[in-house]
């Protein structure tokens, strides 16, 4: 399995430290946060990890280039302009050319404490003939508009077959309270869809919109994973992460 970590975001919610230290390099114990994410990918079976950075975030590359102890090959892609998460993922497309297996996408600012979601999602994907799987969490009504929200038909308590995805809807428009939560296993068709994806919410190219189009040709499942997601992209989320990992 191959993994992709978008880590090119500017980190505006965590200024001023992110002027020089990318949020993904903030320490959780003695390791930068992004190393824990790479380790989650490797534990789930990834033997190659492509990290998307911006030109200002070369320090992430310097960190991994100096570490020979990871049991995965790390490759690099660059997002020079901030045009959305879908655009960031698209910058890594070349590394997945000719792939037929789903790609594990882990957002570089989302750490999960407790049971790691990636391995469980890989198992669900295999059980459904290598289908795509999106990691989910329930969110309170007042936070719905910060997330991609899904609709689907329940398979069991934690799994559903998706029928729709909407990026950052208002609570009135939202099809449920199940939010996309930083982990995806996506059929590589998603790259071609992203290449033709017009800008969506906020004028940005949204990964959620491309997955919505993927639904018309490929099954996509949702998995409400048991671990707890922490957003290291803001000071409060980061402190919460440190407590959870302490
Ligand atoms: C991104 C996705 C959104 C998802 C969220 C958390 O939003 O676009 O669908 O719910 O991550 O995983 P962002 O936090 O980059 O605005």
């Amino acid at each position: 399995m191959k993994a992709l970590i978008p880590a090119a975001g500017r980190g505006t919610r965590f200024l001023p430290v992110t002027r020089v230290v990318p949020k993904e390099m903030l320490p959780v114990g003695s390791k930068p946060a992004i190393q824990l994410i790479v380790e989650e990918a490797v534990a789930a079976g990834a033997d190659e990890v492509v990290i998307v950075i911006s030109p200002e975030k070369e320090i992430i590359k310097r960190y991994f280039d100096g570490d020979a102890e990871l049991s995965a090959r790390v490759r690099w892609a660059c997002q020079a302009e901030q045009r959305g998460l879908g655009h960031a993922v698209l910058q890594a497309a070349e590394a997945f050319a000719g792939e037929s297996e789903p790609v594990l996408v882990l957002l570089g600012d989302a750490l999960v404490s407790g049971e790691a979601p990636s391995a469980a999602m890989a198992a669900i994907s295999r059980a459904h003939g290598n289908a795509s799987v999106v990691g989910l969490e329930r969110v309170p009504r007042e936070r719905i508009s910060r997330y991609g929200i899904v609709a689907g038909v329940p398979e069991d308590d934690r799994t559903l077959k998706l029928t729709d995805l909407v990026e950052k809807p208002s609570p009135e428009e939202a099809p449920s309270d199940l939010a996309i939560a930083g982990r995806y296993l996506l059929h590589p068709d998603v790259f071609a869809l992203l290449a033709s994806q017009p800008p969506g919410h906020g004028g940005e190219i949204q990964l959620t919109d491309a997955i919505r189009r993927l639904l018309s040709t490929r099954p996509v499942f949702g998995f409400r994973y048991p671990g707890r997601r922490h957003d290291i992209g803001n000071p409060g989320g980061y402190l919460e992460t440190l407590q959870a990992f302490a």
Side-chain angles (χ1 to χ4, degrees):
M1 185 167 69
K2 290 188 184 183
L4 194 173
I5 303 178
R10 259 198 235 106
T12 49
R13 291 174 299 148
F14 214 145
L15 284 166
V17 67
T18 45
R19 269 164 43 198
V20 291
V21 181
K23 56 188 172 180
E24 296 84 358
M25 289 302 292
L26 292 171
V28 178
S30 64
K31 294 176 181 175
I34 192 168
Q35 172 148 1
L36 298 177
I37 297 176
V38 171
E39 287 175 4
E40 179 185 327
V42 171
D47 52 8
E48 187 170 311
V49 181
V50 184
I51 304 178
V52 184
I53 55 173
S54 66
E56 300 78 46
K57 294 171 90 171
E58 279 284 318
I59 191 173
I60 299 179
K61 182 167 186 300
R62 232 191 302 153
Y63 173 79
F64 283 102
D65 284 351
D67 182 9
E69 278 173 41
L70 275 177
S71 55
R73 177 173 175 217
V74 182
R75 295 173 68 185
W76 303 94
C78 179
Q79 186 193 29
E81 302 163 277
Q82 301 278 318
R83 293 176 55 198
L85 176 60
H87 181 258
V89 169
L90 179 60
Q91 304 317 300
E94 218 173 274
F96 301 93
E99 276 302 308
S100 56
E101 305 232 327
V103 176
L104 177 63
V105 179
L106 309 96
L107 301 195
D109 57 8
L111 281 187
V112 180
S113 59
E115 206 178 297
S118 297
M121 287 169 58
I124 292 168
S125 171
R126 283 193 295 272
H128 291 90
N130 277 349
S132 301
V133 183
V134 175
L136 303 173
E137 69 185 25
R138 268 193 216 292
V139 292
R141 190 179 156 85
E142 65 274 14
R143 284 171 48 215
I144 276 180
S145 62
R146 296 192 204 172
Y147 296 99
I149 304 289
V150 306
V153 182
E155 295 244 307
D156 60 43
D157 182 38
R158 292 198 174 270
T159 317
L160 61 165
K161 189 158 190 247
L162 299 192
T163 53
D164 201 6
L165 303 91
V166 191
E167 182 65 12
K168 303 194 170 82
S170 67
E172 295 74 36
E173 295 160 337
S176 76
D177 62 351
L178 289 170
I180 301 171
R183 297 291 183 271
Y184 311 77
L185 206 54
L186 299 175
H187 190 282
D189 278 1
V190 79
F191 292 109
L193 293 167
L194 283 169
S196 65
Q197 187 62 50
H201 183 89
E204 296 190 330
I205 297 172
Q206 297 293 349
L207 182 59
T208 302
D209 295 344
I211 302 171
R212 182 174 199 264
R213 285 164 65 216
L214 184 65
L215 269 183
S216 61
T217 52
R218 307 265 177 194
V220 182
F221 291 83
F223 175 57
R224 194 170 57 78
Y225 59 74
R228 193 153 151 247
R229 184 184 60 93
H230 308 278
D231 179 2
I232 57 150
N234 67 82
Y238 175 61
L239 292 177
E240 199 189 87
T241 308
L242 294 183
Q243 273 173 346
F245 281 79

